[in-house]
Amino acid sequence: MTVRGVANGNYSRYHQKYNIGFINSDGMEDETQFESVKTLKELSDLFRDFCKENGFKTNTVTYVEAV
């Protein structure tokens, strides 16, 4: 799944810090965190850029949680 697919319904403007769980290139579960997120589009863009920089696929999201 993508960030938008998983976060749909779990995203709120009231939270600004999110953990995203995903499957890394080794096939292992991993997690990253983004702070000061204002929109779902921004969260999705941040994760896409993170994946591009680290060579991960963007469609391996397992969860999105507000912290």
Side-chain angles (χ1 to χ4, degrees):
M1 294 281 288
T2 64
V3 168
R4 285 183 183 267
V6 175
N8 195 13
N10 295 332
Y11 180 83
S12 169
R13 287 188 279 185
Y14 302 108
H15 300 284
Q16 292 190 355
K17 189 185 292 186
Y18 286 87
N19 291 335
I20 297 178
F22 63 97
I23 305 300
N24 65 26
S25 6
D26 296 328
M28 304 293 294
E29 288 188 35
D30 208 339
E31 180 181 88
T32 188
Q33 185 175 82
F34 297 101
E35 298 182 18
S36 301
V37 177
K38 294 180 179 67
T39 65
L40 181 54
K41 180 182 180 333
E42 180 183 14
L43 182 61
S44 182
D45 290 347
L46 287 168
F47 185 69
R48 183 195 66 228
D49 293 344
F50 167 79
C51 288
K52 186 176 179 180
E53 291 172 8
N54 293 286
F56 301 140
K57 294 181 179 181
T58 58
N59 64 347
T60 61
V61 176
T62 55
Y63 64 88
V64 175
E65 67 181 1
V67 182

